[in-house]
Amino acid sequence: MGAMTLLALTALLSVATASATTTKVNITTITTEESPLYYIFLQKFPLGLTPFYHTEILVCPQNSFTPSDAQYLNEQISSSTNFIQIEKKWWRARNATCIELGYGGASCSDVCCGVPHTEKQRNYHLNAYQSMISGARVRKKELFLYGTGSFDGDAAYEYACPAGDGEKCWSHWAGSDYNAVKNNCNTFTSTVLSCVYGLSQEKPDLGVSDLVTVKCDCSPDGLARGGRDLPVLEEDGEFLRKVAK
């Protein structure tokens, strides 16, 4: 790799180099008839004029879509393996409110301080040209559907950010944990897709931005089997920690 290419790689906040597993698996739906349904999307952005990419997860409740739109998404899932690209003309016309989950480098060392989770991320519209980093070419956004889950993006954030001493979901996702090759934005999206939601971590043509295959289980069932802390949603909507028994 030339010096200029390496400089571009390390200079961009969220240069991707995470996971591209070669195992083909079917898109998974982890829900029951009684539980709410959430669609799990990946959005992809080019980084500047480089060959690198930044990705983020969008978790969107089914009830944010019309019944016909939900049927369309369900049909896309049932006909796909790993993921399927959603046409721009379709998602640009949908204003569903989602939760955005993304990771980038920062001068901080607290657990998940590199994963912003403010009202801005918790009220992200599907058709928005917006990223949690400044270097992304947002007008070049592409959107991919991976499957569904039975819990929302707030819960996914909590599962990816365990609070117990020494606990982590692949990484602590502190801003200081960021590594352009080994622990970047795409490593994080792989972790949310595979370890939290049990979906494929295959990615859409990220090249050298996505080199790491993650192996972990931070799903509710995985945490419970390990006797680790589970987030519990209280009536006021806040998550508290509770040890799984």
Side-chain angles (χ1 to χ4, degrees):
M1 180 181 292
M4 293 302 293
T5 302
L6 181 60
L7 179 60
L9 175 64
T10 56
L12 290 165
L13 176 64
S14 166
V15 165
T17 44
S19 76
T21 181
T22 58
T23 301
K24 294 289 184 180
V25 296
N26 290 328
I27 285 181
T28 305
T29 298
I30 48 173
T31 186
T32 66
E33 292 183 358
E34 294 77 21
S35 65
L37 190 68
Y38 300 89
Y39 294 109
I40 315 302
F41 296 92
L42 179 98
Q43 54 183 8
K44 170 187 173 183
F45 305 97
L47 285 169
L49 298 177
T50 75
F52 309 118
Y53 296 92
H54 171 76
T55 61
E56 299 169 357
I57 300 297
L58 298 182
V59 182
C60 310
Q62 186 183 56
N63 60 17
S64 288
F65 297 91
T66 66
S68 60
D69 284 349
Q71 180 179 357
Y72 166 78
L73 293 174
N74 292 340
E75 289 171 353
Q76 298 304 299
I77 292 171
S78 65
S79 65
S80 306
T81 299
N82 298 317
F83 58 82
I84 187 169
Q85 184 167 7
I86 303 300
E87 292 185 3
K88 182 176 181 178
K89 66 180 180 181
W90 191 93
W91 60 259
R92 278 296 293 159
R94 271 70 186 178
N95 198 38
T97 299
C98 310
I99 292 178
E100 173 193 29
L101 298 171
Y103 173 65
S107 299
C108 61
S109 57
D110 293 334
V111 172
C112 272
C113 65
V115 185
H117 195 61
T118 68
E119 285 304 307
K120 183 177 181 179
Q121 286 78 42
R122 297 179 70 244
N123 290 279
Y124 185 101
H125 294 292
L126 186 71
N127 60 0
Y129 285 125
Q130 181 178 307
S131 170
M132 49 77 64
I133 66 167
S134 60
R137 296 171 65 190
V138 295
R139 289 285 173 176
K140 296 292 185 178
K141 168 178 168 175
E142 296 178 89
L143 191 70
F144 303 85
L145 177 61
Y146 274 70
T148 62
S150 60
F151 49 87
D152 67 9
D154 286 329
Y157 173 86
E158 295 291 328
Y159 295 138
C161 301
D165 290 341
E167 293 185 2
K168 63 180 180 180
C169 186
W170 184 258
S171 170
H172 293 298
W173 307 116
S176 57
D177 290 332
Y178 182 87
N179 180 283
V181 176
K182 296 181 180 179
N183 201 60
N184 62 22
C185 57
N186 304 308
T187 322
F188 176 76
T189 54
S190 290
T191 299
V192 175
L193 288 169
S194 179
C195 302
V196 175
Y197 279 108
L199 299 169
S200 172
Q201 59 182 297
E202 286 275 355
K203 299 287 180 49
D205 299 322
L206 300 189
V208 296
S209 295
D210 192 38
L211 299 178
V212 176
T213 300
V214 300
K215 296 180 181 180
C216 49
D217 189 351
C218 310
S219 66
D221 288 344
L223 294 179
R225 283 193 299 271
R228 295 171 59 190
D229 286 352
L230 285 175
V232 177
L233 182 63
E234 297 297 295
E235 291 183 359
D236 62 0
E238 295 296 322
F239 278 95
L240 299 178
R241 297 290 174 174
K242 179 178 179 181
V243 176
K245 300 297 184 182

